[in-house]
Amino acid sequence: VVVTIDGEEHRRAYSIASPVQQPHQVDIVIKRIADGRVSGWLNEHLRAGDTLQVLGPSGTFTLAPDAGQARRLLMVGGGSGITPLMSILQSVLLAEPDSWVVLLYGNRSVEDIIFHEALRRLVKSHAGRLVVRHVLEAPPKGWRGGRGRLDREAFARELDVLLETTALQDITLYQ
């Protein structure tokens, strides 16, 4: 994204969150960073219908959907790291009817879960093909998901649960 603030051009890279099957709209997540000049400006000034200048996509964290695939994907992310994972998991669920995805997603609290409602809808609409496991540092009373930081130990616990039903060699990891 390229923006001009006070006469100075700034460029920032943001991950696409929308599926590849959504060709006429690109969704990005812009998390406001404390003292972040561009993220602050975009969050304060950008409105629905505004036009942004963007450069072409870059990076290698990708997955090309293929209807002939039957993948077993484990996606691991925390906070705003959900953004590229959201694009990939939606694209796979829409294009690959024999693939399934497990998303292990760490956050501080329920309020910090980006795409919380969208993930709930996706789990419901792709029952049996999408599992979302949340790990929260500050879970609410009665929380049934994972607890603590999504660190090595939490990841190992969650992986042990997954390996009860799937062989390790059959899983592709995206983190």
Side-chain angles (χ1 to χ4, degrees):
V1 173
V2 181
V3 296
T4 302
I5 303 170
D6 298 329
E8 185 179 348
E9 183 176 279
H10 300 271
R11 296 172 182 226
R12 296 294 185 272
Y14 296 103
S15 295
I16 295 173
S18 48
V20 297
Q21 295 88 343
Q22 182 179 301
H24 301 292
Q25 176 179 323
V26 175
D27 300 330
I28 59 174
V29 172
I30 302 170
K31 182 178 180 179
R32 173 182 250 132
I33 304 298
D35 299 322
R37 187 162 196 192
V38 175
S39 68
W41 188 89
L42 289 168
N43 274 280
E44 291 170 19
H45 294 92
L46 200 61
R47 300 290 176 255
D50 286 352
T51 301
L52 286 173
Q53 180 183 355
V54 296
L55 303 175
S58 61
T60 58
F61 190 73
T62 62
L63 180 147
D66 177 353
Q69 291 288 327
R71 304 179 212 245
R72 304 298 181 243
L73 300 176
L74 171 58
M75 300 185 161
V76 181
S80 60
I82 185 67
T83 307
L85 299 177
M86 189 69 165
S87 175
I88 292 169
L89 76 86
Q90 290 179 93
S91 298
V92 166
L93 292 171
L94 289 170
E96 300 179 10
D98 295 323
S99 292
W100 60 255
V101 178
V102 173
L103 171 64
L104 181 56
Y105 185 25
N107 283 283
R108 286 185 200 94
S109 67
V110 170
E111 294 78 22
D112 293 311
I113 300 173
I114 299 171
F115 297 122
H116 196 203
E117 287 305 314
L119 287 167
R120 282 186 189 184
R121 287 190 302 273
L122 284 168
V123 167
K124 188 174 183 177
S125 64
H126 297 281
R129 297 185 51 228
L130 174 61
V131 173
V132 177
R133 291 279 303 159
H134 294 283
V135 177
L136 300 179
E137 292 177 41
K141 188 175 184 175
W143 178 252
R144 296 176 199 240
R147 295 173 176 271
R149 285 185 69 83
L150 182 50
D151 56 14
R152 181 178 288 201
E153 291 176 17
F155 176 74
R157 284 192 306 270
E158 295 293 331
L159 185 59
D160 284 344
V161 171
L162 178 59
L163 292 177
E164 290 175 7
T165 58
T166 306
L168 184 60
Q169 65 269 21
D170 294 336
I171 298 171
T172 303
L173 176 65
Y174 275 77
Q175 61 178 9

